[in-house]
Amino acid sequence: MTDPRTDAIQYAHTNAGRFLEQLKQLSSIPSISTSENSKGEVLRAAAWLANHLRSLGMANIQIFETPGLPIVYGEWLQAGKNAPTALVYGHYDVQPVDPLNLWVSDPFSPEIRGDYIFARGSTDMKGQLLVALDAIEAIMQTSQLPLNFKFVFEGEEEIGSPNLAPFLAEHKDLLKCDVAINPDTGALSPDIPCITYALRGLAYMEIRVFGPDHDLHSGVFGGAILNPAQSLCELIAGMHDVQGRVTLPGFYDKVCPIDPQEKAELAHFPIGDEYYLTATGAPGLYGEAGYTTVERLGARPTLEVNGLLSGFTGEGSKTVLPAWAMAKISTRLVPDQQPADVYQQMQSYLERHAPQSIRWSLITMHGGSASISDRNSVYIQAMSKALEAVWHKPPVFKREGGSVPVVLDFQRLLGVETVNTGFSMLDDNMHSPNEKLHLPSWYRGIDAFIHFYFNLAQ
Ligand code: BES
Ligand code: MN
């Protein structure tokens, strides 16, 4: 008798070409959630997934409407009451593609170059989502699934999942499960598979500063009027101290410190300062004093200016004193910081520091909480062994600087831990032009998920 794992992996290898065709199909749908204009395309991606689940033999497939973009649900419960139930999470929306002129090939005409497929959403996360489904198909076609499955695929992850937590809260019974699986994180390199055990949260804001009621001649009025651009820059400059610490009042109050054992583990992280210097091209590193780069990225909160706008930015010169200025600012949060608290802290900061000569407003946008998982759970062990079976070495345990806010919601609302992994690489250009996915790692990922599902059932 042959081993069902070997059979499933054999099937996956034989069907690799077809799996890739399906990835190309899904990646050619421009499901950009940030733009109202793309709504039809996002719906098309939802329909594609619903059909795909149907063709895999899943049951109870539903496309749940939300006030925003829909959630695709499906299930397969024939493993019986004694088998565990895994909830597979994914998002089928993608980031915008601009600046379009920097793409070598069209973002929605997937192209294979060398070991990579290039397309928006290939790595974040259409490819990763399909890993989880391809492994299921491989097992179903060669033996029997050893566990029950539920699927929740959302179309709003890239805009902060505004409708997902309410959906989870409303459908607790339908979504009842033993563990959630989130294949939306990454590996460190093709040789270093990873399990992500912590993700940062996010609080996103926009600050607008208003001065005169229209743009002024900078000679006629400069000297008499406070320039809103200057004022905004001063406010932003004051948001960090010389130690690189964020100065919003109370910002660190709830920050969960790094325990010494974890600190020791992070000290052996296989990627360090050299990597970040070369990968970014920045002339030097920067961060909160007293912490290593790896700690700063995963275990400490940060504040970033995402964009600045004011006055004249065209070609040549124009002597203008602008009427207004605005900045997009986000903070990455760690357990147990709350986005709502951070908005309040920013409000207090502005109340304290904004000068009388300008008016300002703070607009709070989407946010999400950080999460941390138990590194020793049986579920994480099952994934760890699965990755080891394929890569022939244990995975690295990582804290992720990016955010997938649903992970905390799974803990909070469904009471389950999430296994976060994935096969996207740090240099895959996630959210940037020329997003790509490393195909050899993607195929290995399918093999690893086959092992993982069998391990979960043991
Ligand atoms: N897949 C990413 C999260 C991620 C980033 C995982 C880097 C691993 C490495 C996810 O799609 C994402 O981009 N999330 C947003 C969340 C936000 C819009 C709420 C992020 O981190 O900016
Ligand atoms: Mn993303």
Side-chain angles (χ1 to χ4, degrees), residues 99-107 109 111 113 118 433-435:
L100 187 57
N101 63 315
L102 294 183
W103 285 79
V104 173
S105 54
D106 182 88
S109 306
E111 195 172 285
R113 299 200 292 276
F118 287 80
N434 305 309
E435 177 176 345

Side-chain angles (χ1 to χ4, degrees), residues 141-193:
Q141 295 303 322
T142 49
S143 59
Q144 250 175 23
L145 285 176
L147 62 160
N148 300 306
F149 281 97
K150 297 183 175 179
F151 304 94
V152 169
F153 300 144
E154 66 158 326
E156 300 187 312
E157 196 273 344
E158 300 292 3
I159 52 172
S161 308
N163 295 295
L164 189 57
F167 174 81
L168 300 180
E170 195 185 323
H171 296 93
K172 277 187 186 161
D173 287 338
L174 179 69
L175 303 176
K176 199 170 167 339
C177 59
D178 299 292
V179 61
I181 302 167
N182 166 32
D184 192 24
T185 60
L188 288 179
S189 74
D191 305 325
I192 313 180

Side-chain angles (χ1 to χ4, degrees), residues 38-39 60 73 88-89 116 189 191 219 226 357 363 371 379 389 433:
S38 300
K39 186 157 184 192
N60 194 14
Y73 177 82
V88 177
Y89 163 82
Y116 293 93
S189 74
D191 305 325
L226 177 55
S357 311
I363 298 161
S371 56
Y379 309 113

Side-chain angles (χ1 to χ4, degrees), residues 91 93 95 123-125 128 156-161 184-186 196 199-200 202 204 332 366-368 398 400-405 424 426 430-431:
H91 68 85
D93 62 324
Q95 286 272 329
T123 206
D124 183 9
M125 67 159 299
Q128 320 245 69
E156 300 187 312
E157 196 273 344
E158 300 292 3
I159 52 172
S161 308
D184 192 24
T185 60
T196 294
L199 288 141
R200 288 198 289 190
L202 184 73
Y204 206 109
R332 291 285 170 175
H366 61 72
K398 180 180 189 221
E400 175 53 56
S403 308
V404 185
S424 79
L426 292 171
M430 202 184 263
H431 295 202

Side-chain angles (χ1 to χ4, degrees), residues 239-292:
M239 289 175 195
H240 286 95
D241 66 15
V242 290
Q243 304 288 318
R245 281 172 64 90
V246 177
T247 60
L248 306 187
F251 189 71
Y252 293 95
D253 286 0
K254 292 191 183 159
V255 168
C256 187
I258 317 171
D259 77 55
Q261 194 201 328
E262 193 189 347
K263 223 172 159 57
E265 282 172 35
L266 291 176
H268 296 108
F269 200 69
I271 279 184
D273 292 6
E274 272 313 307
Y275 173 83
Y276 288 102
L277 276 173
T278 357
T280 61
L285 297 177
Y286 164 86
E288 186 184 357
Y291 294 92
T292 65

